[in-house]
Amino acid sequence: MELTNNPALLWFVAGYGVFMIILGIYFSKKIANSEDFILAGKGLGSFVLAGTLLATWMGSGSITGGETSMAYSYGIIPALMMTIPT
């Protein structure tokens, strides 16, 4: 795969940035205080909450080089098995 210079792609990046800013402004109107922001209005379902916690766990592990570096080397199953206490 070769890297090429394609300035047209900048329009997609800029459009995505503008879209995210608009979404942020729209949804910021629904937040009353910091507790509402942190707890997401206590309206998250268990499936969404589990996904959020899993994404946070995996994201922090990839930054610090924890179990996710093992997932890169050996696969996701051995990495998840390493998290089970013995």
Side-chain angles (χ1 to χ4, degrees), residues 10-85:
L10 290 177
W11 287 107
F12 291 105
V13 174
Y16 178 76
V18 169
F19 179 69
M20 287 291 119
I21 290 171
I22 291 170
L23 275 179
I25 291 171
Y26 174 75
F27 284 108
S28 71
K29 308 276 189 230
K30 297 181 178 186
I31 298 172
N33 55 25
S34 61
E35 183 176 334
D36 192 30
F37 174 76
I38 293 171
L39 298 176
K42 296 183 182 178
L44 294 180
S46 57
F47 185 72
V48 173
L49 183 60
T52 303
L53 293 174
L54 182 64
T56 303
W57 173 64
M58 294 300 283
S60 65
S62 65
I63 292 171
T64 60
E67 284 81 16
T68 54
S69 62
M70 183 175 180
Y72 179 77
S73 300
Y74 301 107
I76 192 69
I77 300 299
L80 291 174
M81 295 300 286
M82 283 293 294
T83 63
I84 299 173

Side-chain angles (χ1 to χ4, degrees), residues 4-12:
T4 60
N5 186 11
N6 190 353
L9 292 177
L10 290 177
W11 287 107
F12 291 105

Side-chain angles (χ1 to χ4, degrees), residues 1-5:
M1 183 173 182
E2 182 180 332
L3 292 176
T4 60
N5 186 11

